[in-house]
Amino acid sequence: MTSLAAGSRTMAVMICLILLLAATIGLASCASATGDVLTYDLVEPLNGVTSARFNIDAGNGNLTIDWLTGGEPLLAGGTLQYLERQGQPMRTLVSFLGEATLTLEGGDQGQSWFRLPWAACNGATEWNIHLNPTVSSDITAHSNGGNVRLNLASMAVTRVTADTGGGNMEVILPDNATNLTVSAKTGAGNVLVSLPSGLAARIHATTGLGKVIVDPSFSQTDKHTYQSSDYDTAANRVELTLSSGAGNVNVTTN
């Protein structure tokens, strides 16, 4: 018994030392990465596009998506930070008869073999993207571990899928949402979704360790589902699937 207990203590000490070493290496990598941040200017002409699919992968950085406010004839604009050793973000545009698919992807950061999704170097870069509010948009947004913020209040949106490995997730939805579907999840952060007051919604919300907090205007129909009384008959409605591995999930109305 004494030998077994001593062996367990030794194993625990070894695990702690490995984790400490990995954390030290990760912090050192982050420190070396913060000094060489460059910026790529995104300027994507509209060229008659009326509907678009946006596939946006910010790598380990923070990501903010909102709308163009100056009436510019652009499909998308903004600034994308990147580390010099990564190279510029990759951009692909396919467009035909008023429909387009724009893909933006951060370069490989050469992370070490051990990295938690919410490691300290996540969020070292900032992507700020502004989309044309007149274009019907299908948005897929991803970060490996940074914060993701989608302010879609004045946009025409048909679908939203957003996830982050461990950062916080914030989504602000538009007033007009005809059969809009939204999926938002994070591995460890909080999920906050703001709905326009009066918008019919069905909400599926789960969390591993945190709390689920839903505006009392929605009735709970089962363990993980909340719904407005007029959801089944409303023409303007949204279905939400929200989850966090460790943080809170909070749905509010404004």
Side-chain angles (χ1 to χ4, degrees):
M1 293 293 291
T2 302
S3 176
L4 180 60
S8 298
R9 286 195 297 270
T10 301
M11 181 63 70
V13 170
M14 290 179 63
I15 292 173
C16 289
L17 288 174
I18 292 171
L19 292 175
L20 179 60
L21 177 61
T24 302
I25 293 173
L27 289 174
S29 300
C30 296
S32 65
T34 57
D36 56 354
V37 177
L38 305 177
T39 300
Y40 173 85
D41 292 322
L42 176 66
V43 181
E44 198 65 60
L46 184 59
N47 290 336
V49 172
T50 57
S51 65
R53 176 174 296 175
F54 297 96
N55 301 315
I56 301 171
D57 182 346
N60 290 335
N62 297 322
L63 171 62
T64 298
I65 298 175
D66 56 20
W67 67 94
L68 292 161
T69 59
E72 303 95 326
L74 298 177
L75 176 62
T79 55
L80 314 179
Q81 291 183 341
Y82 64 99
L83 304 180
E84 185 175 16
R85 59 190 173 86
Q86 288 179 264
Q88 290 187 355
M90 292 177 283
R91 166 202 161 276
T92 303
L93 177 69
V94 178
S95 181
F96 182 71
L97 295 179
E99 298 183 359
T101 298
L102 176 63
T103 301
L104 301 170
E105 185 176 2
D108 182 11
Q109 295 194 20
Q111 294 290 346
S112 59
W113 66 272
F114 182 89
R115 181 177 65 83
L116 294 174
W118 48 92
C121 51
N122 289 347
T125 57
E126 300 280 345
W127 282 26
N128 294 292
I129 299 174
H130 317 295
L131 305 181
N132 193 308
T134 66
V135 172
S136 180
S137 299
D138 179 322
I139 300 171
T140 299
H142 169 78
S143 173
N144 290 336
N147 297 323
V148 175
R149 185 175 190 270
L150 309 180
N151 185 352
L152 312 176
S154 295
M155 295 180 59
V157 185
T158 58
R159 187 187 69 92
V160 176
T161 299
D163 72 283
T164 173
N168 293 320
M169 174 75 62
E170 181 181 2
V171 182
I172 301 173
L173 294 178
D175 291 329
N176 298 317
T178 304
N179 291 326
L180 172 63
T181 60
V182 176
S183 172
K185 62 181 180 179
T186 174
N190 297 319
V191 176
L192 173 62
V193 176
S194 178
L195 293 166
S197 180
L199 177 63
R202 176 183 290 152
I203 303 157
H204 310 280
T206 59
T207 177
L209 299 176
K211 298 179 180 179
V212 172
I213 306 166
V214 177
D215 189 283
S217 60
F218 300 97
S219 300
Q220 188 167 2
T221 60
D222 63 36
K223 184 177 180 180
H224 301 298
T225 304
Y226 303 78
Q227 185 171 306
S228 55
S229 58
D230 60 342
Y231 178 82
D232 290 328
T233 58
N236 201 32
R237 63 185 184 179
V238 58
E239 183 158 11
L240 306 167
T241 302
L242 315 173
S243 67
S244 173
N248 297 330
V249 175
N250 193 348
V251 179
T252 66
T253 59
N254 57 27

